[in-house]
Amino acid sequence: MAQYAVLIYVHDSAHAPDATPEDIETCDQHSDQLVESGAQLAAYALTPRDMATSIRGDIITDGPFIDSKEVVAGFYVIEAPDLDAALAIARLNPVVRDGGGVEVRPVHSSYVAPGHSSYVAGQDVAGQDVAGRDVAGRDVAGRDQAAG
């Protein structure tokens, strides 16, 4: 099955360091539903925009890279048979009903370091086995296994 990244766009992230369980309850419920369905492979909630630091060239500034009405508040990776199925799953995100939105992109490639909590049952979220080869037999650098 194909993997898709779902980027969550809202005014700001609910996941502040002092967030209460009630503040993030809707997010957690949605994530729990995706996990139970078997669709969610990984999820990352980002902190609010005022905690961001951006780099452009030699300049480092406080705040998000682009000052806009909405920011990326988090993202998750799902597995779905095709784009239509991925869109149907992404449409269930509560931010879509609450004034925000989501962007769905096919995952081209990924890497999760062995030993990290994202490394599950001998494979990372990209389907790479513990030897660092993806499901097509390529190593993480993209070389064919036969080419060595």
Side-chain angles (χ1 to χ4, degrees):
M1 261 198 271
Q3 294 177 353
Y4 298 87
V6 180
L7 288 76
I8 304 165
Y9 290 88
V10 293
H11 172 69
D12 209 352
S13 175
H15 290 82
D18 60 351
T20 66
E22 292 78 24
D23 293 335
I24 59 175
E25 180 177 11
T26 303
C27 302
D28 289 347
Q29 287 174 348
H30 177 65
S31 181
D32 290 346
Q33 291 168 347
L34 291 178
V35 168
E36 289 171 17
S37 75
Q40 183 171 286
L41 302 178
Y44 298 87
L46 303 178
T47 55
R49 69 172 69 214
D50 63 354
M51 296 183 75
T53 303
S54 301
I55 303 171
R56 186 185 298 264
D58 292 333
I59 300 172
I60 298 174
T61 58
D62 292 334
F65 191 72
I66 297 175
D67 189 25
S68 66
K69 182 178 118 180
E70 295 174 331
V71 295
V72 177
F75 63 94
Y76 51 97
V77 178
I78 58 173
E79 198 167 54
D82 56 36
L83 179 60
D84 289 336
L87 293 172
I89 293 167
R91 184 175 280 123
L92 300 174
N93 192 297
V95 303
V96 174
R97 297 188 303 275
D98 297 337
V102 296
E103 176 181 330
V104 179
R105 290 193 204 178
V107 172
H108 176 274
S109 55
S110 66
Y111 174 77
V112 175
H116 280 228
S117 60
S118 298
Y119 209 78
V120 179
Q123 291 190 338
D124 69 12
V125 296
Q128 295 171 334
D129 66 23
V130 292
R133 300 205 177 274
D134 67 16
V135 292
R138 296 176 304 241
D139 70 18
V140 293
R143 295 184 307 257
D144 185 73
Q145 186 172 358

